[in-house]
């Protein structure tokens, strides 16, 4: 995956959608994939790996 850390790989419906460097990029990817409402605190919708939603640094 290209890009300079810190970033997160984003999967939507089991497919790699891209990388996000912050919450805005994450939401842009989700909206581009047709997701209109995302509850970032709902573990059924979002699984944070490697830190919480506000932790984007290594």
């Amino acid at each position: 995956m290209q890009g300079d850390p810190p970033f997160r790989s984003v999967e939507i419906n089991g497919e790699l959608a891209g990388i996000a460097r912050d919450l805005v990029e994450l939401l842009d990817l989700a909206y581009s994939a047709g997701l209109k409402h995302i509850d970032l605190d709902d573990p059924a919708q979002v699984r944070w790996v490697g830190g919480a939603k506000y932790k984007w640094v290594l």
Side-chain angles (χ1 to χ4, degrees):
M1 179 72 47
Q2 293 182 357
D4 294 324
F7 61 83
R8 300 226 182 163
S9 297
V10 178
E11 289 185 8
I12 299 175
N13 296 324
E15 299 287 328
L16 183 62
I19 61 170
R21 290 175 189 82
D22 57 33
L23 287 175
V24 172
E25 286 185 3
L26 174 103
L27 293 173
D28 284 343
L29 286 170
Y31 291 149
S32 294
L35 302 174
K36 300 302 178 201
H37 176 74
I38 300 155
D39 182 351
L40 298 174
D41 294 316
D42 182 353
Q45 291 186 19
V46 179
R47 182 173 62 111
W48 298 102
V49 178
K53 66 182 170 187
Y54 297 116
K55 183 177 186 317
W56 291 81
V57 294
L58 299 174

